[in-house]
Amino acid sequence: MEQVYDVTKFMEDHPGGDEVLLSSTGQDATDDFEDVGHSDSAREMMGEYCIGDVDASTVPQKKKYKVPNQPHYNQDKTSEFIIKILQFLVPLAILGLAFGIRLYTKST
C-alpha cells in the first residue's frame, strides 16, 4: 500500500532544499526518493511524516496514448524537385540564349 507523507515541517531542514520537496508535491515521489540514495536515518525519519495510506479509488487511471490522425504525407517529392530546378534553369537558359544571340549579332 502506498503511503502519504506531509513534509511541510521538514522543508526548511531538508538538506537538498525545499524546492526538491516541492517538485514532487501531489504525486508519487517514490522514484525521486530512491534515486537520491537517502541514508538509513532519512528512511527512519519518514515515519514521523507519514499521515496515511493512498486511497486507490482517488488515483486517476492512466490513459492510453492514442496516435493522432495525420494527413497522408507524400514521400515522393521528385516532381516538386524537378519543377523547382526548372524554375531556376529555364530563365537561366533564356538569359544565356539572349546573351548568345546579342553577342553573335553584335560581332557580325
Side-chain angles (χ1 to χ4, degrees), residues 15-84:
D18 61 351
E19 288 123 14
V20 175
L21 299 174
L22 291 172
S23 68
S24 298
T25 301
Q27 61 187 353
D28 185 358
T30 305
D31 290 337
D32 295 337
F33 184 84
E34 297 297 335
D35 288 346
V36 173
H38 284 90
S39 64
D40 291 337
S41 62
R43 292 178 187 281
E44 290 171 10
M45 289 175 67
M46 290 174 61
E48 67 185 89
Y49 297 107
C50 182
I51 59 172
D53 295 327
V54 173
D55 181 2
S57 66
T58 64
V59 178
Q61 297 293 322
K62 288 188 177 182
K63 295 180 180 178
K64 281 190 169 183
Y65 178 74
K66 181 183 174 192
V67 179
N69 292 334
Q70 296 180 351
H72 179 68
Y73 176 69
N74 182 11
Q75 292 182 347
D76 184 23
K77 295 203 174 219
T78 308
S79 60
E80 290 179 27
F81 179 71
I82 290 173
I83 290 171
K84 287 188 180 201

